[in-house]
Amino acid sequence: MPNTTIDLYTTVQNTSGASRVFGFLTKHGKRLANNATYTVPGDLVHALGAARSQRQFKALERALNTGALKIVKSPSVYLLSETGGVTEELAMNSSRVLGTSTPSWQGGGNFVPDGTGPTGATGATGATGPSGPRA
């Protein structure tokens, strides 16, 4: 798979049942048709939460709580292996098992479980990492 940077973006979907403007998407808001998706660079939740004004964050929170919007994908969580210094991303496979995978910018990519769309990286085969609490 070619190198991409898809893991660095947030994708949201309008689940309100109608076309709707979401004022916190883009500087002047973005109209999304019912079930339409929109992708923004970076972590939308973090960006809005870190803003001086919490107005847009509260609007995102309301849209999520009322079911008008859902977050389909957010930027990956990256982990560095203690042995070998390999960077991997946290991923969930189609069986909903957490594991790690190669980041998209290193040739990894998203998988499509049950034909519903990307939700994590390919290659996740199960939980990896320490088996129990660390001292």
Side-chain angles (χ1 to χ4, degrees), residues 15-98:
T15 53
S16 69
S19 179
R20 182 168 167 182
V21 174
F22 295 94
F24 48 85
L25 297 176
T26 76
K27 189 172 185 175
H28 301 289
K30 178 74 176 167
R31 177 174 295 280
L32 296 179
N34 185 43
N35 290 322
T37 59
Y38 185 71
T39 300
V40 297
D43 186 336
L44 178 66
V45 174
H46 177 78
L48 296 179
R52 181 177 299 236
S53 168
Q54 290 295 292
R55 184 180 57 81
Q56 290 186 323
F57 182 83
K58 293 294 185 186
L60 169 64
E61 194 172 32
R62 279 189 305 276
L64 293 169
N65 282 335
T66 63
L69 188 80
K70 73 177 179 179
I71 297 173
V72 179
K73 185 191 176 312
S74 61
S76 297
V77 173
Y78 297 102
L79 308 167
L80 180 65
S81 170
E82 289 182 10
T83 58
V86 176
T87 298
E88 293 200 336
E89 65 185 17
L90 188 61
M92 182 185 305
N93 69 12
S94 59
S95 300
R96 299 175 70 186
V97 175
L98 288 178

Side-chain angles (χ1 to χ4, degrees), residues 84-130:
V86 176
T87 298
E88 293 200 336
E89 65 185 17
L90 188 61
M92 182 185 305
N93 69 12
S94 59
S95 300
R96 299 175 70 186
V97 175
L98 288 178
T100 60
S101 180
T102 303
S104 67
W105 40 267
Q106 291 181 336
N110 290 342
F111 67 83
V112 180
D114 308 318
T116 59
T119 61
T122 47
T125 58
T128 60

